[in-house]
Amino acid sequence: MRSSPRRARRYAAALALPLAITLNALPALADPSSDPVPPDRPSSTAQNGVALMRVVVADRSGVDRLAALGVDLAEYSKPVDGGIEVHAVLSPDEARSLRDQGFDVRDAISDQSDFAENQAARRQALAAASADAAATDTLTPLRAEWFTSLDDQRFLSVEVKTSATDAQTVLTATWDSGPGTAPDSGGTATMSRFTDAGQYMYHRFNSPLPITQAPTTVTVTSNRGGSITVPVTKWLGEPRKAPGKHYVQDFVDHYMDPTEITGRIVALSKEFPKISEIIDLPYKTNGYRRQAQAQFGTGSGSALASTFYVTSKAYGSEGGNDVSVALVNPGTASAPLSVAVSGKDVVVNLATDASGAVTSTASQVVAALSGSSAASALLTASLYRTSTGTGVVAAAPATKLTDGLKAPANVSRQPFQMKALRIGKSRNGSKTGVFLYCQEHAREWVTPITCVETAERLLRNYAQDPDTRKLVDDLDIFVVPTINPDGAHYSMYDYNMQRRNMVNYCAADAADPGRRNSWGVDLNRNFSVGSVRDGYNGGSTTCTSDTFAGPAELSEPETRNEVWLTEKFPNIKFAMNTHSYGGYFMWPPGAYKTAGRETLPRTDLGTEEYFWNASTHILSAVQGWRGTAIWPGRTGPVVDVLYSAAGNSADEFWYNKGIIGWDFEVGADVYDQATKQYTAVGFQPPFDEGHEEAMEFSNGQIGILEVARAYDKDKQRPDSTLVVTGRTGTSTTFTFTVDEPANVYYTLDGSRPTLSSPKLTSSGMREGAAKISIDKTTEVHWFAMDLAGNVEKNYKPDGDGRNYNKETVEVGDSR
């Protein structure tokens, strides 16, 4: 199955959502400092006005404010003129509230109108510019690449950093149209200034520019006088070679819920018992279940003071749905307030005055229910949100409590047994382990079928495809297709935009039935490294926020299962967390503290180069399915290409276990040749598109396995060279080059280099190796070691050998 422009246009039309944004004055969201509870979302599978909207903020501080307000943000970010475009799931009330607070809330993502310049933000930035900025700046190229995507359309992506970081500095890029052509024959464009958390990062194009010919060089000039010309390289290599003629693929034909997904991997393990098995993860989830509830009163206007709600002690599926509550007017004068219970039927006899009018307030009814031992054994009663409880309640007929859950009976309401499918010929811990996991976020329906597709390919091609056999024979592969089964069931059957699991940690003022679509923990914010509790940005401690990090780090069984797997099987050296949407390929660090944009420690230079080298192979595999290219600007550490995600799983595994972990965001933007615009695909695209995404990113997961196998088989020692980069009369600068991703350890004092010696660092984000400066003639000692542990010249850093590299670097007159 292949995409076409015609089908892409049909898909874009299918994304159009009816919006009912009213212009009536609506209550504004609370100031973020008050730890707000966001407005209601409808408790329905229908949208009821909830839509995936485009919101444009000036910089990352605006994104941080949206997160603090409890706004449900997609894992999607795109630079646009005047700032950053993010996507948010908003009800009409929420959209209007955000507009009232000055946020630029636009239309549904299917409306691809041009973005307007945010003049106010630009004027503010210009006003704050440094008055003493340098007259002439220095430009540092970070990357300049061209690539093709889908339908062989060519694109250009350029990133350049200027030493003059103020907003008045303007960079312009000009490129040729191939070898031997004029330097400006390809085109020219003004670059956009990219800032994050108030820090200048670099200049780039908002989106890759469509071009007709592949350029060889690009020249970037600054209005301050700086200029630099750099070669333009091709992004991504040749697409992954087509599989053999007997290779089978394409095993998914519809979106699947976690019950079906889990049944699928169990069936696979039974069909292929010699090369696979099921591992029951030790912590069962809370389950697709909730307490039953009923609300009395409307909770709006003057009725707020008379509104309360009741919640069953038992889950709805375990008897809570059988409880009923009636509010009865006794029809007599001067009657006392009383509570009677018969079985699971609770009757509140309301008090009356001398004229027979009901006098019982909401607070009094709540107190009476709480004070009745028979009633309190069945339920709890609470005032509604900010209700004072002083309003008189109205009589109401017997009302059954309900958990409101709509999944069919085959979806169990009991705690869910999460399972991992382990694939490998030798499953004894002797092989390099790879952990592939999907659907930490419930609404990302494409991701679990991606994991299933990969498992099917590995098992069904083992017998006839030699390349697949090598992977299964030489690796220990763990596949968990659905990390968030409870939330995913809820997303599929109750509220399709559910992101989190289903556990309700809210206090009574946020636990009424109208909040049921705002409960749960964001599992990818619940880990222990770089968490919101450590001061990192991108998570929330508000129970109704869509990035709620939970009551404590690793509070959730789902996240503890992930950690358990990596501890139980320490041979796991690689991991891939598959999310949607936006088309990203990322790795640690994934979080920063907003003040000063203090990130988690960046990976060392050798590891960073390894990530980049691996990305070429993995993303070429993705491109091999239907031609989709993941943009260069959406490839890199999470904090550089997306945002800060406090307490995410990739950081957990890298910083605590040294596991090389990646994040996929499937669902790259689709470029429409006719309109010359990009269309975002959303969490749950029509299955035709979802199928294509699953197929191409399954290719990417296979690519990761190939990278892991190459690591396992790597016995080649690196080879390094010292390169002098500059001299003055009093100093010399030098660095090292290596023929593969590796770390260089060196000494300048004549001592023997070890793994405790200084390590060559990066000169800056995407700026290559740092330069070392000396002020006297020095004998430099060094060696290189790659990530697989191979040491240059077979040197033993912890031994007493002397076969490390040695070179004298001269300074000044000693040359």
Side-chain angles (χ1 to χ4, degrees), residues 39 45 67 76 106 113 139 272 275 288-289 375 378 399 422 483 501 508 536 539 618 633 659 720 760 773 775 799 810:
T45 54
Y76 181 89
R106 302 189 177 180
S113 59
L139 304 184
F272 299 96
I275 55 172
Y288 175 74
R289 56 182 183 172
L378 295 173
T399 302
R422 188 180 188 183
I483 291 290
N501 68 9
Y536 287 84
I618 294 164
I659 294 171
S720 63
L760 183 65
S773 181
D775 58 8
E810 298 184 333

Side-chain angles (χ1 to χ4, degrees), residues 635-668:
T635 303
V638 174
V639 293
D640 294 342
V641 302
L642 188 59
Y643 49 46
S644 178
N648 70 81
S649 58
D651 284 346
E652 176 82 19
F653 298 149
W654 168 248
Y655 293 100
N656 279 348
K657 302 286 191 301
I659 294 171
I660 296 171
W662 287 287
D663 295 287
F664 268 151
E665 293 280 348
V666 310

Side-chain angles (χ1 to χ4, degrees), residues 704-726:
I704 287 165
L705 298 179
E706 291 167 343
V707 167
R709 181 178 181 273
Y711 166 92
D712 182 79
K713 297 298 181 184
D714 183 10
K715 304 301 178 186
Q716 181 175 339
R717 301 184 186 98
D719 185 23
S720 63
T721 304
L722 186 151
V723 179
V724 173
T725 58

